[in-house]
Amino acid sequence: MEDQQFVISPEILPRLAAIDIGSNSMRLIVAEPMRGGTYRILDEERESTRLGGALHSTGRLAPEAVAATLSALKRFKQIADGFQVSRLRTIATCAVREAENGAELVAQAKSEIGIDMEVISADLEGRLAFYSVQRAFDLTNKNVAVADIGGGSTELIYSSGNAIQAISTTPLGAVRLTEIYGNGPEMAGDDFEKLVEGVENGLRKHTKKPFFIPHLLIGSGGTFTSLAEMIMAAKGQSGLPVRGYQVTHAEVSHLLDRLRKMPIKLRRAVPGLSPDRADIIVAGLAVIDGLMRRLNLNVLQVHNRGVRDGLLLTMIDELLGEGDIAGPDRDQSVDRFAQTCGGDLPHGRQVARLAGRIYAQLAETYGMDIELKPLLEAAARLQDVGYLINYDQHHKHSYHLILNSHIAGFQPHDLELIANIARYHRGSKPKKTHANFRQLSGEDQLRVKQLSAILRLAGGLDRSHTQQVRDVQVRVGHKRIDLEVISDRDPEVDLWGARRRTKLFEKVFDIAVEVAWRQDSIPQPTIG
């Protein structure tokens, strides 16, 4: 089996199993984890259930599809039990997420089979797909778009290197589109034009415009795998690895044009195409064609894994104590994310320390919650992660990267505040014309103004990136705040940097700021 090309360790960990219940099919993987986060496949099963087949027209999961799903789920559990797995995790995606009777299926799986089915969000679905790609491809120094086409939806993930910038979910699944636009002889004419228009409108409406031009599109899911296998079969290249196989936009367009004009009976005989995918392949390829046109990319690479693989990899990371849930605390996670983005860790820590000192000394005077101090410090350490994309607009890129980071130890609301604080560490002041700021509550808007104003000052105090400022004393007067900067030698560049950054602080706190150096020659202990 192609994917059994992992290095086998003599130290075998407890066996794991993962089940992915999609809109088109269900998949099981049973594996032996290895030290280093890889695994050896023990068994794989797939069942085409078309759970999302009637969802668009009825809003519900069809009874026959539910019965087929429960039957397959029972069999999958028996297989997993037979391998004596220590943990089985089952996720359901778009069809169960959207269906009126999705909760009923979840309850039946629990009561009849003893399976706890997790209905995951579209955002998590995209993250799992990306995690699978991230572990299979070297994304270093690449701006990448990852597309995961399922039966009910397509997730599009933009990343710079290994950091996610944005995730978009679209209702452009192969099963859903086939239900809407058909799959018969009319695909040779008007129905195909409607399908293409529907895909274009869906991508325009539901996908975000990236801040960069992607270098590469990586596609995961059955449609991409089928595309590669059909192209390879047509070229007489059967036997080559699917993972990493490159397909041009012209090859996608020509194959799509050929398949849409074929009766389904002939499609089922196309080399490289699974017969049970013959009726939905035109819709799936139309999505790929639309994506390549929208992203203006001529070549894509195929990934023959996806959400299920990403799920299993996260389970292994948790088992090894390396995942976001069971692994590092949030301080370590902040450092790890900053490193992923090529951040200057010493500078970030220095700015965080000074920002925290200023905040702690102002908190009581201005009635600021001291529990917000860790968020300010995290924003300081992450303020420059946007350099990963480019310098000029790096504060805006920092916002998106932090917002989508899922850094361990922070709740989504915390990350939203951290992202906004970092967003305004330079550039324009927070404005309600900015969508990211406007969507915050009034209380959070005030917090962002105050904390970003403090962050600007602290950032200026390490303008030189030398970490020579050892402390800052804040003295609040009636009409003026004095910042006494403590350093062994004259920190001229850092004083200049802070003085240039007082404007937002003075506006937000309605008080003047003076920055001055106080020499302190007391010997400091060496930190080893």
Side-chain angles (χ1 to χ4, degrees), residues 376-396:
L376 170 62
E377 291 169 338
R381 291 164 64 187
L382 298 172
Q383 62 180 354
D384 293 330
V385 294
Y387 284 151
L388 181 67
I389 299 174
N390 68 42
Y391 174 79
D392 290 338
Q393 299 292 316
H394 77 265
H395 53 299
K396 297 179 182 178

Side-chain angles (χ1 to χ4, degrees), residues 140-217:
T140 306
N141 298 323
K142 295 175 184 174
N143 292 329
V144 176
V146 174
D148 184 74
I149 300 177
S153 65
T154 291
E155 277 65 51
L156 183 63
I157 305 99
Y158 296 118
S159 77
S160 291
N162 291 295
I164 294 175
Q165 190 198 71
I167 299 177
S168 300
T169 185
T170 77
L172 302 177
V175 173
R176 189 197 301 264
L177 291 172
T178 299
E179 184 188 1
I180 296 172
Y181 297 104
N183 58 15
E186 293 80 6
M187 272 294 119
D190 291 345
D191 282 358
F192 180 72
E193 298 303 321
K194 293 175 183 176
L195 169 63
V196 171
E197 184 178 356
V199 169
E200 288 179 352
N201 290 339
L203 291 174
R204 190 181 306 115
K205 181 178 180 181
H206 295 284
T207 61
K208 300 171 184 177
K209 185 178 180 181
F211 283 97
F212 53 73
I213 298 174
H215 301 141
L216 178 66
L217 171 65

Side-chain angles (χ1 to χ4, degrees), residues 112-123:
E112 298 178 17
I113 306 172
I115 288 281
D116 290 311
M117 187 187 300
E118 304 171 46
V119 183
I120 66 172
S121 67
D123 181 81

Side-chain angles (χ1 to χ4, degrees), residues 339-358:
Q339 285 179 314
T340 295
C341 299
D344 182 346
L345 266 62
H347 172 67
R349 291 193 188 108
Q350 170 75 345
V351 175
R353 185 175 64 81
L354 297 176
R357 287 284 294 133
I358 296 170

